[in-house]
Amino acid sequence: MQLSLRSIVEALGGDLHGDAERLIDGLAPLESATPTQLTFATGAKYRGQLAASRAGCVIVGPDLREAALARGDAIVTDQPYLYFARVTQLWKRGAGASPQPAVHPSAVVDPDAVIDPTARIGALCVVERGARIGAGTVLNARVTVGEGCVIGARCIVHPGAVIGADGFGFAPDGVRWEKIEQLGAVRIEDDVEIGANTCIDRGALQDTVIEQGAKLDNLIQVGHNCRIGRNTAIAGCAGIAGSATIGAQCTIGGAAMILGHLKLADGVHISAGSFVARSILKPGHYSGIFPIDDNATWEKNAATLKQLHQLRERVRALEKKTDS
């Protein structure tokens, strides 16, 4: 497949500098792109790689415009990374996909499930009774959609994901655990993407909800009755315990842990590996982890840690008195 720079800019916009008829036959990283490939660069730290790049054309922001023009053809746009993302979509559409059946012969779809005619159900998928799959949604191989669960339009669910397994609910009777039946379902709104082997548990009474445009990476656990807000992105291996509510436009870093029944406001950003043990009601960027210890010691250390700033100021004040 080949696309001219002219056709790319006509489809996506941007300010083209150079040979509009140059043909591009692939996309590649900045350092390895060849004279027939397209790449991108963002930020001053890539100036050296940009100057050395052999790429046929580079997508850059206004800050790298002159550096890019010094080496050859360039497309200048305010958001080069976003522009490159749209180029990948354009490229995939142009390459086309080999014709496949709407429902793979090896998939198991309950007669009472409702599958939109434009959806695609991959090999070895299981879609249980009463489940609904929306228009243009793709379930890749080995996806399981549990009874009564709903997936909206234009969603992508990657291999091995499980939507609607039982939530982790048990009541102790003093000797053993009594199962709490999980009577809710999972409701996934439009334009959501769910990574490979991610598990989203059904609700105990009400549904677990993933709102429109959310993006979940691989190997994420979402507990029962959670709600994840619009356009929130969660990186791999994060764990979200039951009944947590995460707002819109949040980001959760890889391997972060969020305890149950907490609330994160819209616009909260959690660093990778952080442990969230309290609700966060103010937008912002939060980080934190504390070493495991026996509980009594941990509580004492945690209480001291909260006073660390005050202790530091007291030490500084004492040092100044001593110096004087």
Side-chain angles (χ1 to χ4, degrees):
M1 172 181 164
Q2 291 183 322
L3 290 175
S4 69
L5 293 179
R6 182 189 303 279
S7 66
I8 293 171
V9 171
E10 286 177 349
L12 302 177
D15 187 8
L16 175 61
H17 299 266
D19 181 6
E21 304 309 320
R22 179 187 290 274
L23 294 178
I24 297 298
D25 63 14
L27 311 178
L30 182 63
E31 67 274 12
S32 62
T34 71
T36 60
Q37 292 179 320
L38 178 66
T39 188
F40 75 100
T42 57
K45 67 179 180 180
Y46 291 105
R47 285 183 183 275
Q49 290 185 38
L50 176 60
S53 178
R54 298 174 58 244
C57 182
V58 180
I59 303 163
V60 296
D63 59 326
L64 291 180
R65 178 181 180 277
E66 298 306 319
L69 296 184
R71 59 153 302 281
D73 294 353
I75 297 172
V76 181
T77 179
D78 289 339
Q79 295 179 288
Y81 187 51
L82 177 61
Y83 193 99
F84 187 76
R86 290 172 176 161
V87 172
T88 66
Q89 297 170 13
L90 180 67
W91 198 268
K92 186 169 183 177
R93 288 195 300 270
S98 58
Q100 296 184 14
V103 179
H104 193 277
S106 66
V108 178
V109 178
D110 190 277
D112 290 334
V114 178
I115 311 294
D116 187 276
T118 62
R120 184 163 64 83
I121 311 301
L124 303 174
C125 288
V126 175
V127 182
E128 296 183 353
R129 182 181 64 177
R132 288 185 286 153
I133 311 298
T137 285
V138 176
L139 306 186
N140 288 291
R142 304 186 313 280
V143 169
T144 297
V145 181
E147 182 175 346
C149 294
V150 176
I151 301 179
R154 301 175 302 279
C155 295
I156 301 172
V157 186
H158 290 282
V162 178
I163 312 299
D166 273 3
F168 192 65
F170 299 91
D173 70 358
V175 177
R176 65 188 189 91
W177 297 96
E178 194 75 33
K179 182 175 178 61
I180 301 170
E181 294 295 343
Q182 305 294 288
L183 304 179
V186 175
R187 176 162 50 88
I188 296 172
E189 297 181 356
D190 299 343
D191 301 305
V192 170
E193 186 158 349
I194 297 168
N197 295 319
T198 282
C199 296
I200 302 175
D201 289 346
R202 65 175 53 248
L205 298 175
Q206 296 179 322
D207 293 348
T208 301
V209 178
I210 313 296
E211 294 185 6
Q212 183 173 356
K215 310 299 181 187
L216 278 63
D217 196 4
N218 303 334
L219 295 166
I220 292 170
Q221 165 64 26
V222 179
H224 57 182
N225 299 107
C226 286
R227 188 178 193 99
I228 296 177
R230 292 168 62 95
N231 298 315
T232 282
I234 304 176
C237 297
I240 304 167
S243 299
T245 298
I246 298 174
Q249 303 285 348
C250 295
T251 57
I252 310 298
M257 298 174 287
I258 299 174
L259 292 187
H261 300 273
L262 301 184
K263 181 176 181 179
L264 273 59
D266 296 349
V268 167
H269 306 284
I270 303 298
S271 294
S274 292
F275 175 56
V276 182
R278 63 176 175 85
S279 291
I280 300 174
L281 305 180
K282 181 181 178 181
H285 188 178
Y286 296 83
S287 306
I289 191 165
F290 203 84
I292 195 167
D293 205 337
D294 68 89
N295 191 68
T297 302
W298 184 92
E299 288 182 345
K300 290 176 183 177
N301 288 336
T304 302
L305 188 63
K306 287 183 176 181
Q307 303 174 48
L308 188 59
H309 179 75
Q310 294 176 343
L311 290 171
R312 184 182 65 177
E313 295 306 311
R314 289 172 62 186
V315 169
R316 285 179 174 176
L318 290 171
E319 287 176 340
K320 286 182 179 179
K321 288 183 177 180
T322 302
D323 292 341
S324 60

